[in-house]
Amino acid sequence: MNPEKIWLSSPHMGGKEFEYVQEAFASNWVAPLGPNVNGFEASLEKYLGESCHVAALSSGTAALHLALVLLGVERGDEVLCQSMTFSASANPIVYRGATPVFVDSEPHTWNICPDHLEAAIKDRISKGKKPKAIIAVHLYGMPFKVKEVLAVAQKYEIPLIEDSAEAMGSSYNRQKCGTFGTIGILSFNGNKIITTSGGGALVSKNEKIKEKAIFLATQARDEAPHYQHSEIGYNYRLSNISAGIGRGQMEVLDAHVQLRRKMHDFYMEIFEGWDGVSVFSEPSEQMVSNHWLSCITVDPTRAGISSEGIRNALAEHNIESRPLWKPMHLQPVYWDAPYYGAKISETLFQQGVCLPSGSNITEKEKQRIQAVLEEYK
Ligand SMILES: *Cc1c(COP(=O)(O)O)cnc(C)c1O
């Protein structure tokens, strides 16, 4: 019989979630509004600081879609986007009828390269089209080079959308990720660092942006007793049931970040002294990653083994691991999109693997993981 599956990243309830959900049932707030939605937003605003305003939405993807609407991205526009990411960072550009222009990563944070970003902006402008927005991602919880990316965005006066879906609890110069962009987005999907079973949020320092996001997320109803609409709306608000789970999760967020960071330490110890294998770690003390997923890269010529070999060895023992995000410019659906960069993200994709990282992985499960890795070595 197979031992029980060890997941890459699975939901981890703290204990209070069910009470908030029961409260919602008891008071019949079973709707996409209610006290849990307001309470969850308030606790997110407090956690992020920086006088941020947060709109709770049905998913991170919905938050990205609304961010593009709010920044005026329309049919025929171009939007710059980090190539190495989950497809949900880029797809909302296409929902708008706009064109994604992909940019390579740099090797230190695996996130958008400020130099290639600037080169891309210059080239698009010279071709007659200034990009309408930049989407940068804190991949696996690792902050992107915030100072450098913001400098490029400001120099060319292009708004920055900060995809912080994987980086709740990460920080840069002690400021929380999600608070740097013109608009930031968060995700509370089932595999993220905290979950509402499905959900997301839009973050902005401008209260008007929050209000407009909620307006658009609730079908864009004008003020009138009847249903009147001057704009196209969406059904993107978070439900009061899901928000109850979110309120409970906020109480354990910091503890779960610490547990994810311990998983990273666990892999640092295992792989110490493995030639050609490196554990993805903060390149500078300015950055603190939540280590949502612990990842390694394996240089097969130096290591004599491969990331795919590790993945298969773990899979044989019912332990889930996964290749890194396949860059968008290599995806069949985006083959014809413009791309600026070299082969950093491509090489990372070839050599990298994400390892089980959940805050709920037990000591026994850690021993199983360690045993498989050491046998494979
Ligand atoms: C998960 C994720 C999203 C989308 O969030 P959902 O809540 O799943 O819609 C967007 N960007 C990145 C980088 C993600 O990892």
Side-chain angles (χ1 to χ4, degrees), residues 59-61 64 85-86 88-89 137 163 165-166 187-189 192 199 325:
S59 70
T61 310
L64 280 160
T85 185
F86 178 45
S89 303
V137 190
D163 181 344
E166 301 177 1
S187 166
F188 313 114
N189 206 356
K192 297 286 156 70
W325 297 126

Side-chain angles (χ1 to χ4, degrees), residues 266-267 270-271 274 296 305 310-311 313-314 319 355-356 366-377:
F266 164 70
Y267 290 115
I270 291 182
F271 291 108
W274 288 42
I296 56 169
I305 52 172
I310 289 181
R311 202 176 65 76
L314 290 166
I319 300 170
L355 300 169
K366 280 189 185 174
Q367 285 166 16
R368 266 177 61 199
I369 296 166
Q370 182 159 12
V372 172
L373 290 171
E374 272 161 12
E375 188 196 303
Y376 175 70
K377 182 190 183 186

